[in-house]
Every structure is written in C-alpha cells, then in structure tokens.
C-alpha cells in the first residue's frame, strides 16, 4: 500500500471517497475500491475485468505492451533456455529456484505420486468411446477428492502441498489414460525411471507388443511447451481456480473448475481451434479468403490463435515457440502442409491493417498446436496438454491464496437490468 490516494467525487451528491493507491513491485498501480460503495453508494462496473485487479500475487508478472512475461521475476526467455518444466513448477509453487537437493526431492515426490488408484481407472470405462478427453480429465481430476482424504484439510499447509504435488504428478497419468481410452488401447502405468515429459509420452504411445522408440527431441519440445504454458497470472482458468478456492473448496475441485474454464475456445481451447481452422483453410492459396472472412464481423469467424487480452504488441511465448516450431519439425523430419498454411496466414495477418490497427498478433496457441501435431498428439488432446502444464500455475495460485491472511470469498456485484418490483399475477389473469 502506498501513501497516495485517489479521490473520487460524485458531483451531483458531493459524496466522495478517498481511495488508497495500491502499488506492486512492477506494473501499473491500482486504487482500492473496497469501501467505495459504503462511502458513495456506487459500485464499479467492469465486465471482463478490463481494469480490475482481483488479487495481489507474487507468482507471475506480465507487461502486455512490452511483451514481458516473468515467473517469480525470471524472464520466460531465460527459463525456456535454461530450465525444465519441473524446476519451473517448483519455482512457481515455492517462489525460488531449487538447489540441487531441493529439486531432487521435488522430482522424487512428483515421480512417486504419478499412479492412479485402480478404481479411478474404472471411471474411464463409464465414458462413451468418443468422449472428449477434456471432459474425461475434468471428471477424473474432480474425483481425486474422493480418493485422497489425507489432503483435503485446506487449513493444513502440509496437506495443501501434498495436494499440489499430487495434481502435478497425476495430471499426465490422467491425461494419457483419457487418450488411451478414447482410442481403445490399454491404459499404461507411469514409468518412474523416465523424466516427467518422457514418462507422459510413454504413457501416451507405448503399446504392449513392441518397445517404444521415442525421439529425445519430442520430450524436449514438450518440456519447453509446458514451461511456456505453466502460468499466466490471473487468466480466466486461474481466476476460476481462485474463485472456487475462495469458497474453501478442496484443491481437486478447484483444479477441475480450472480445467472447465480452460476448455473454452477463447482460452485454452484455441490451440485445438487453430488446427481445425488451418485444416479448414486447406492450402496457402485460400488464406486471403480466410483473412477477409475474419475481418467481416457478420461472419462470426475469428482467426484462432490471433489476439490476446493482455499482449498488445507481441506474445513473448509465441516468439519462443515460433522459432522452436521450425526446429522441431526439421529435427523430427515432419513436412506438414498445414505449416505452410500457418506461415502464409501469419504473414497475411501481420500485413493487414485490420489486424495491425487492433494489435492482433499470433499468440502462443497459434504455434503450439502445430508442434503438438508433429509430436503425434491428436487435436482433441491439445487443450489437455495445456491443462497439464497450467496445473503448475493453478496450484501455485491456489497455494498463494491460502497463504494470504484475511482472504475473502470472491463475490462480484452486478448492475441489475431486470424488471422492477411487480406483483404476482394469477395464471388466469396473464
Ligand atoms: N480475429 C479477428 N478479429 C479479432 C480477433 C481475431 N482472432 N481477436 C480480436 N478481434 C477483433 C475484435 O473483433 C475487435 O474488433 P473491433 O474493435 O472492431 O470490435 C477487436 O479485435 C478487439 O477484440 P476483443 O474481443 O475486444 O479483444 P479481447 O481482448 O476481449 O479478446 C481474445 C482477446 C484472445 C479472446 C480474442 O483476441 C480472440 O478471440 N482470439 C482468438 C482466440 C484465441 O486465439 N485465444 C487464445 C488466447 S492465448 C491463450 C490463452 O492465454 O488462453
């Protein structure tokens, strides 16, 4: 809290409120409107939270104009180059990079919580074969609360940590199980001799009849994608986790709610939508038509993978991923015609005044889907991949929320626009 205030006066009634300015370590300051209604009789109206900070947080910082993304102060570019996903998860949760012994313990703990209970495996049998893996993951993650009664006491810091580890550990197991069930293959157990991303790829692709040949490039690429997707401050799914968390709900329910929020095409579902869009466009020659359609407000069509609520110059994750995209496709020997469509679309949109004026640049999801495709991950799994990575951020925010004294239940207000008070009319008089 700084000692500055912002005074807001209603000229008509002459009632005013002196609003304390709240400043963080970086970024724009805010003024605290907590007492505004009491002092002036006004609420604030901000659909989509365009100008509203819902919490203080020390996890992630974004400067949308400068294209800056920091996890606990570390630039995403440095983490992408030097770190790995599990180390980043540790950083997000604990606030500091681990020493070697701290990392070894964390990795051991995550590795030894990767198994699902056998009865949870049976849940998958209850789904129709063509169920979307996001639906299965959401249900399976929510159901973890029914299995782990030893980590539901949210007042106990040790239980909270255990739940966080379990969620990071089990998400890949659940995700791979959802995929395997959907294609009618046996669900694989996690192999603890493998690292996090290799273990996941093994559970996805290993068949009982022959050993799996995995390119190390695949696990490395996946690890990088997971780093880039691990957190993004108060995005829709993280805000959902926090809102559900504010009610005191258990961590598995909170993360299941986060998965639900992530599923939407305006959020994590965009990577799946990008691939569908590229396939629909079909070839580089048809890109011009697609761009025209996206500019026509009546078409209901938007270029998926373009634009961002916060980044208005460029998405730093997209810059990293774009470079990797070409490298991975080259190293895996993939020659994907959809990549030609993507590159043509990127160039066309970057030159088009409609997109330039509105600062609509390719976002992280524009490229991530292409890489996932090259790794053999099916389109329906793309958002699930995002969910695996974002679990690190969700639990970091959930833990932070529960370490904050005097936290309140999240309860937005509204501007009521319905009928004014009226009397009930009997059915024969309507
Ligand atoms: N294609 C065409 N026009 C667009 C697009 C697009 N992808 N995105 C925004 N616009 C236009 C929009 O019609 C509006 O035009 P006008 O000012 O003439 O009315 C203007 O740009 C501003 O759009 P907005 O909807 O007010 O912007 P927003 O900040 O509310 O929405 C967004 C951000 C990401 C939801 C939006 O850009 C979008 O729908 N993009 C496509 C979906 C997508 O790629 N989502 C992934 C986001 S990154 C992953 C993540 O962090 O979850």
């Amino acid at each position: 809290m700084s000692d500055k205030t912002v005074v807001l006066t209603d000229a008509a009634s002459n009632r005013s409120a002196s609003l304390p300015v709240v400043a963080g370590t970086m970024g724009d300051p805010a003024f605290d409107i907590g007492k505004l209604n009491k002092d002036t009789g006004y609420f604030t109206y901000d659909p989509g939270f365009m100008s509203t900070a819902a919490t203080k947080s020390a996890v992630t910082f974004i400067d949308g104009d400068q294209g800056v993304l920091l996890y606990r102060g570390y630039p995403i570019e440095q983490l992408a180059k030097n770190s790995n996903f599990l180390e980043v998860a540790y950083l997000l949760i604990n606030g500091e990079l681990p020493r070697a012994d701290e990392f070894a313990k964390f990795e051991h703990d995550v590795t030894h919580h990767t198994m699902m209970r056998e009865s949870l495996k049976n849940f998958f049998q209850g789904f129709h074969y063509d169920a979307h893996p996001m639906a299965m993951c959401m249900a399976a993650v929510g159901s973890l609360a029914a299995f782990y009664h030893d980590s539901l006491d949210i007042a106990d810091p040790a239980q909270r940590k255990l739940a966080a580890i379990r969620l990071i550990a089990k998400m890949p197991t659940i995700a791979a199980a959802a995929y395997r069930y959907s294609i009618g293959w046996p669900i694989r157990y996690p192999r603890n001799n493998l690292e996090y991303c290799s273990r996941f790829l093994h559970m996805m692709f290993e068949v009982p009849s022959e050993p799996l040949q995995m390119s190390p490039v695949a696990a490395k690429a996946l690890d990088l994608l997971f780093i880039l997707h691990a957190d993004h401050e108060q995005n829709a799914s993280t805000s959902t986790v926090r809102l559900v968390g504010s009610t005191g709900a258990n961590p598995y329910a909170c993360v299941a709610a986060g998965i639900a929020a992530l599923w939407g095409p305006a959020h994590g579902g965009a990577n799946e939508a990008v691939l569908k869009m590229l396939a629909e466009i079909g070839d580089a020659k048809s890109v011009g038509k697609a761009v025209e359609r996206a500019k026509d407000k009546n078409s209901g069509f938007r270029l998926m993978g373009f634009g961002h609520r916060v980044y208005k110059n460029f998405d730093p994750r997209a810059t990293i991923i774009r470079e990797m995209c070409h490298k991975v496709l080259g190293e895996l020997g993939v020659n994907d015609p959809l990549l030609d469509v993507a590159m043509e679309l990127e160039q066309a949109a970057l030159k088009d005044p409609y997109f330039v004026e509105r600062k609509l640049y390719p976002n992280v999801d524009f490229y991530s889907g292409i890489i996932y495709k090259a790794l053999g991950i099916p389109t329906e799994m793309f958002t699930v991949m995002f969910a695996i990575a974002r679990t690190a951020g969700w639990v970091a925010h959930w833990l932070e929320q529960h370490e904050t004294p005097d936290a309140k239940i999240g309860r937005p207000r509204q501007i009521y626009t319905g009928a004014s008070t009226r009397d009930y009319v009997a059915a024969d008089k309507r």
Side-chain angles (χ1 to χ4, degrees), residues 50 232 235 262 265-268 270 274 294-295 297 301-310 312 315 317 354-355 358 360 363-365 386 390:
M50 302 293 286
H232 216 223
N235 57 86
L262 187 74
H267 190 10
V274 168
K295 286 156 54 177
K297 294 276 190 297
F301 170 71
R302 279 187 170 198
L303 285 189
M304 287 292 123
F306 280 79
H308 199 276
R309 169 57 63 79
V310 182
K312 298 298 179 195
D315 177 343
R317 303 166 303 170
Y354 173 97
F355 291 89
R358 288 169 181 75
L360 300 169
N363 58 48
V364 66
D365 285 329
F386 194 159
R390 188 53 59 84

Side-chain angles (χ1 to χ4, degrees), residues 87-110:
E87 186 178 68
V88 164
Y90 181 99
L91 172 69
L92 289 169
I93 290 173
N94 296 289
E96 296 297 335
L97 286 167
R99 292 188 317 262
D101 59 323
E102 289 168 330
F103 181 72
K105 178 169 182 337
F106 183 69
E107 189 173 34
H108 176 275
D109 289 349
V110 169

Side-chain angles (χ1 to χ4, degrees), residues 12 53 175 182 194 213 221 239 247 249 269 278 282 293 297 321 341 398 406 418:
S182 72
L194 298 174
Q213 303 294 331
S239 297
T247 70
L278 295 177
R293 232 180 108 212
K297 294 276 190 297
I321 224 172
V341 182
W398 180 80
D406 307 324

Side-chain angles (χ1 to χ4, degrees), residues 8 19-20 22 31-38 42-44 52:
L8 204 79
L19 307 168
V22 188
F31 48 87
D32 178 349
I33 54 169
K35 296 211 176 86
L36 182 72
N37 182 255
K38 198 163 148 261
Y42 283 101
F43 289 122
T44 54
T52 298

